[in-house]
Amino acid sequence: MIARADEFIRLYSSENAVERPPADRMAEIRGEIRQSGTYAHTAEELAFGAKVAWRNSRRCIGRLYWPGLVVRDLRHLRTAEDIHRACVEHLRTAFNGGRIRPTISVFAADGPDGTGPRIHNPQLIRYAGYRGPDGRVTGDPASADLTDRLRALGWPGGPGTRFDVLPLLVQGPGEAARILDLPADAVREVPLRHPDHDWFADLGLRWHALPVISDMVLDIGGVRYGAAPFNGWYMGTEIGARNLVDAQRYDLLPEVADRLGLDRTSDRTLWKDRALVELNVAVLWSFEQDGITMTDHHTESERFLRHLRREEKAGRTVPADWSWIVPPLSGGVTPVFHRYYDDHESSPAFLQAPAPGRCPVTGHAPATDGEATGPDPQPPVSVGVGANTGDSRDRIARP
């Protein structure tokens, strides 16, 4: 941990007006680690580390605005109820009347003797996935496992639609996980319509306006924050070309194509492409009509190149995964397609969460009948997130 802390403090000192030498701060940190096994960031270090973790997210195309990330230091909150209330406030303030603010809420760090708080939902807002007797899922198949877990813990379920909002499953240190509902006013949703096809509204499609990733680990200088939900705003293709379209998600292209009267007898008719474009038109138009921040993949590609130029001017390289930076729709006509990137891991970083119940520091699960389990063979790895911290990040472990 000392080596990681030293690396971070030197980075922090080099990019900020720090009066005292990094060696003095490191002397304090070494003393804290000797006494407790870990150390605490100052509020300024925490804010800087969270912003740089976004800057380092190699799979995120929307990093131009990393310096403006709003960092909420909530390390003093420990109980599930307090964390839940803070998450609800995050949803309200980050939505900001539709002018979405990139925001992160950082709760207590993991300690050397166990984990800190956890939010077990992959996002603060997710739709349920109800498994039927035939194995088919009503709602979002990506949420089927979490839905099963919540129902096993006592959640009665929602009305049973394709878009039932899941409650949060929050766990304070040393506590059992608790199910806590989100109030309706904290969940802003957009009914999807089309500017040219009135029938589109009859499909009953909608999506939530604010993507808040909530199950990733924020690593700053060797200190890991297992509960640090963060958001940007959506890029339209995350909803219109992934969430509503992927075969393992809502798989809506056939339904949209049939309503458009397209010939689905052969892929050569390009029915998928034509339906995909119209679905993305509907997503972008609906968010615009409702006055909610959303970007399109052409604009965001240009912004990413601006980010590259700005970072290069500052003497920094930009880590980027080409397969994520290039949008999932019309990639070849965006400027990010026609170049290579320096793809490397950097720190601070957002880490992929370990298997449920395992400590992201030690890789161990809690003791059962007095006997601890062995370490997770898959330690956390540095990852990024799609677009402006949206939710196409299924591609981390799956597509």
Side-chain angles (χ1 to χ4, degrees):
M1 177 176 281
I2 289 177
R4 298 286 304 280
D6 183 68
E7 176 187 5
F8 170 69
I9 293 302
R10 291 183 183 279
L11 176 66
Y12 174 73
S13 299
S14 68
E15 294 192 27
N16 295 275
V18 178
E19 295 182 359
R20 59 178 179 166
D24 290 353
R25 174 62 176 133
M26 280 306 303
E28 290 180 357
I29 289 173
R30 287 190 178 90
E32 290 183 49
I33 293 175
R34 281 195 298 269
Q35 287 186 345
S36 66
T38 187
Y39 71 100
H41 294 118
T42 66
E44 293 77 16
E45 290 166 356
L46 180 72
F48 173 77
K51 293 176 182 180
V52 174
W54 185 12
R55 186 177 82 191
N56 287 338
S57 293
R58 40 192 282 276
R59 293 174 173 175
C60 178
I61 194 174
R63 286 174 270 169
L64 178 64
Y65 302 106
W66 70 267
L69 179 67
V70 177
V71 180
R72 304 172 73 219
D73 185 352
L74 302 173
R75 290 176 288 176
H76 59 289
L77 301 180
R78 300 278 176 165
T79 68
E81 293 89 343
D82 287 342
I83 293 166
H84 170 259
R85 279 193 290 269
C87 288
V88 170
E89 183 63 18
H90 181 132
L91 291 173
R92 290 170 174 154
T93 60
F95 180 72
N96 189 34
R99 299 183 64 184
I100 294 173
R101 296 189 186 107
T103 302
I104 184 168
S105 297
V106 185
F107 297 101
D110 296 331
D113 299 326
T115 60
R118 286 290 182 275
I119 301 165
H120 294 283
N121 306 60
Q123 291 191 39
L124 294 187
I125 304 172
R126 270 292 212 189
Y127 295 120
Y130 303 108
R131 298 185 205 271
D134 60 355
R136 295 184 180 181
V137 175
T138 298
D140 191 347
S143 297
D145 288 345
L146 177 59
T147 303
D148 289 345
R149 184 180 180 189
L150 288 165
R151 300 196 76 170
L153 290 171
W155 183 55
T161 74
R162 292 193 288 183
F163 300 100
D164 289 358
V165 176
L166 288 169
L168 295 184
L169 185 61
V170 184
Q171 188 169 10
E175 299 179 343
R178 294 195 55 191
I179 297 174
L180 297 159
D181 289 323
L182 291 172
D185 71 295
V187 181
R188 303 303 180 98
E189 296 178 282
V190 178
L192 300 184
R193 299 91 74 195
H194 194 286
D196 302 318
H197 302 296
D198 292 339
W199 55 258
F200 199 98
D202 298 334
L203 297 177
L205 306 179
R206 62 178 184 268
W207 204 259
H208 56 90
L210 188 64
V212 187
I213 304 297
S214 53
D215 68 344
M216 298 184 76
V217 178
L218 171 63
D219 183 294
I220 302 175
V223 177
R224 289 180 172 173
Y225 300 91
F230 62 96
N231 73 274
W233 49 75
Y234 272 119
M235 186 164 75
T237 53
E238 293 184 281
I239 301 170
R242 297 302 311 277
N243 298 339
L244 294 177
V245 168
D246 285 354
Q248 70 273 26
R249 297 295 296 282
Y250 278 82
D251 195 22
L252 288 175
L253 278 190
E255 184 177 351
V256 173
D258 288 345
R259 293 300 297 266
L260 287 166
L262 301 179
D263 178 5
R264 292 203 290 124
T265 59
S266 168
D267 287 345
R268 289 176 63 87
T269 66
L270 301 186
W271 68 267
K272 294 179 182 178
D273 309 72
R274 296 165 68 186
L276 187 63
V277 168
E278 296 305 327
L279 182 51
N280 279 269
V281 168
V283 169
L284 288 168
W285 190 77
S286 299
F287 271 69
E288 182 179 21
Q289 290 297 300
D290 286 7
I292 296 171
T293 304
M294 170 175 275
T295 187
D296 65 86
H297 51 294
H298 297 288
T299 300
E300 206 59 45
S301 295
E302 294 286 354
R303 288 174 178 170
F304 183 70
L305 295 186
R306 285 171 55 194
H307 171 67
L308 281 177
R309 292 191 292 269
R310 181 184 294 177
E311 290 298 298
E312 289 167 356
K313 187 176 181 180
R316 296 188 290 262
T317 59
V318 178
D321 182 337
W322 186 94
S323 66
W324 274 68
I325 297 302
V326 175
L329 173 66
S330 305
V333 295
T334 62
V336 293
F337 179 91
H338 302 280
R339 57 165 293 164
Y340 293 105
Y341 302 96
D342 185 2
D343 190 6
H344 62 272
E345 305 289 354
S346 301
S347 182
F350 290 103
L351 308 178
Q352 185 174 356
R358 292 189 179 272
C359 173
V361 178
T362 66
H364 286 72
T368 302
D369 296 329
E371 185 174 342
T373 66
D376 189 339
Q378 299 294 329
V381 294
S382 176
V383 295
V385 293
N388 282 23
T389 63
D391 68 349
S392 289
R393 70 184 189 87
D394 287 347
R395 289 150 71 187
I396 287 173
R398 291 178 284 278

